Amino acid sequence: MTAATGGRSGRRPGSADTRGSILEAARTAFAASGYDATTIRAIATAAGVDPALVHHYFGTKEAVFVAALEFPFDPGTMVPTLLAGPREDLGERLVRLLLAIWADPAGREPVTALLRSAMTHEAAATMLREFLTRALVGRLAPMLDLADAELRAAVAGSHLVGLALVRYVVRVEPLASATDDEVVALVAPTIQRYLLG
Amino acid sequence: MTAATGGRSGRRPGSADTRGSILEAARTAFAASGYDATTIRAIATAAGVDPALVHHYFGTKEAVFVAALEFPFDPGTMVPTLLAGPREDLGERLVRLLLAIWADPAGREPVTALLRSAMTHEAAATMLREFLTRALVGRLAPMLDLADAELRAAVAGSHLVGLALVRYVVRVEPLASATDDEVVALVAPTIQRYLLG
């Protein structure tokens, strides 16, 4: 999201591992406890470093959060890939992508962290709003042909957010234990209808 | 939910007003800040009473939360009413009910409080899970004819939860500013299909 995330490229040898460990610990902590209940001290302990190092790399808790938020997927490349396949399978590809992200802890944790924090922290709510707006209204809607494409993309997104929340976070049965194929069979036609009419 | 909520009937004259003021302040506080960030002291201040009175009436913060959670609607009466009308309008009636609940602060605040708290507090997540399970799987699904009615009711519920979240809490445009009729036109056919096939 910012130049500060370039550490992964190895341009700052020796520090990339520590920085990466802190970010990994931060993602786990924000996902488990939400923004307010997570402390720099707790992140440092989980990462096995001194809290002063966390301050050194990031400055504030909010800066750690912004860096940790860096999703394992980028709407800028994800949406064109989704739209490159046959249009008649778009709904299914989108639902399967969501389920695949949730099946991988590296995908699930940053998204859970953002959902949790957005509920109680205005800065996180703004980030979630900006992420959804950028992904759905900014990227997806312009590729669709319908006059109300932006509203439709937002409604489709709201369904996917609710699905993730109720299936994975609140864990309402039998949705929590349903197979991916069962979920796709029900939800993919809905997303298809929202996005393609 | 429990006999303790009987105060509204006036059986305890003189105390019902104070108890009601505390619950109203608690609903507003939990909705604004979530469970963890809300203190008994803040609730007492907002209600204009001494914190000792809150302890006297409810004992613990969790007990205040449970009492404050008392929704302005009860699935036990709501679901039969919804199902009493023509089946071909069930999806629209359900979506309009959700929108009407959100249009009224007395409906919006306890639901927002529960959503916010469920994200970061395990007891609240359990309450939301139990509420959704009771309303959707326990009450709604048995009235439907489909073999996978419970999964369908849970998926429909996940869509409505996500809709409320993205429209009212995260406020993603253009969904946040769309009219009720625009939302109903898109979402009602989906809920109808989930519940009635």
Side-chain angles (χ1 to χ4, degrees), chain A residues 27-141:
Chain A
R27 279 183 205 107
T28 304
F30 285 126
S33 314
Y35 184 92
D36 285 330
T38 298
T39 62
I40 283 194
R41 178 169 296 277
I43 293 168
T45 302
V49 304
D50 191 277
L53 258 185
V54 181
H55 285 289
H56 169 72
Y57 282 120
F58 299 97
T60 64
K61 184 171 87 170
E62 187 152 39
V64 182
F65 180 73
V66 171
L69 200 67
E70 194 195 4
F71 283 147
F73 51 89
D74 169 19
T77 55
M78 193 178 70
V79 170
T81 304
L82 276 170
L83 289 168
R87 285 294 171 107
E88 63 268 28
D89 300 332
L90 177 61
E92 175 164 349
R93 286 201 305 279
L94 198 47
V95 176
R96 287 203 185 274
L97 176 68
L98 176 81
L99 298 174
I101 287 169
W102 277 92
D104 178 2
R108 187 168 59 235
E109 284 176 6
V111 182
T112 309
L114 185 56
L115 277 175
R116 285 191 198 276
S117 303
M119 292 299 101
T120 49
H121 191 75
E122 191 50 42
T126 301
M127 277 182 232
L128 179 56
R129 180 164 55 249
E130 282 173 6
F131 171 76
L132 288 173
T133 301
R134 208 181 67 167
L136 297 167
V137 179
R139 298 275 181 188
L140 187 55

Side-chain angles (χ1 to χ4, degrees), chain B residues 49-144:
Chain B
V49 303
D50 192 276
L53 259 185
V54 181
H55 285 290
H56 168 71
Y57 281 118
F58 299 97
T60 63
K61 183 171 88 169
E62 186 152 39
V64 182
F65 180 71
V66 171
L69 200 67
E70 193 195 5
F71 282 146
F73 51 89
D74 169 19
T77 55
M78 193 178 72
V79 171
T81 304
L82 277 171
L83 290 169
R87 285 294 171 108
E88 63 267 29
D89 300 333
L90 178 62
E92 176 164 348
R93 287 201 303 282
L94 199 48
V95 176
R96 287 204 185 274
L97 175 69
L98 177 82
L99 298 174
I101 287 169
W102 276 92
D104 178 4
R108 185 168 61 235
E109 283 175 8
V111 182
T112 309
L114 185 56
L115 277 175
R116 283 191 199 278
S117 302
M119 292 299 101
T120 50
H121 191 76
E122 191 51 42
T126 301
M127 277 183 234
L128 179 56
R129 179 163 56 248
E130 283 173 5
F131 171 77
L132 288 174
T133 301
R134 209 182 66 169
L136 297 167
V137 179
R139 298 274 180 187
L140 187 54
M143 313 300 283
L144 309 174

Side-chain angles (χ1 to χ4, degrees), chain B residues 137-157:
Chain B
V137 179
R139 298 274 180 187
L140 187 54
M143 313 300 283
L144 309 174
D145 297 326
L146 299 157
D148 55 349
E150 294 190 349
L151 180 58
R152 286 168 167 271
V155 168

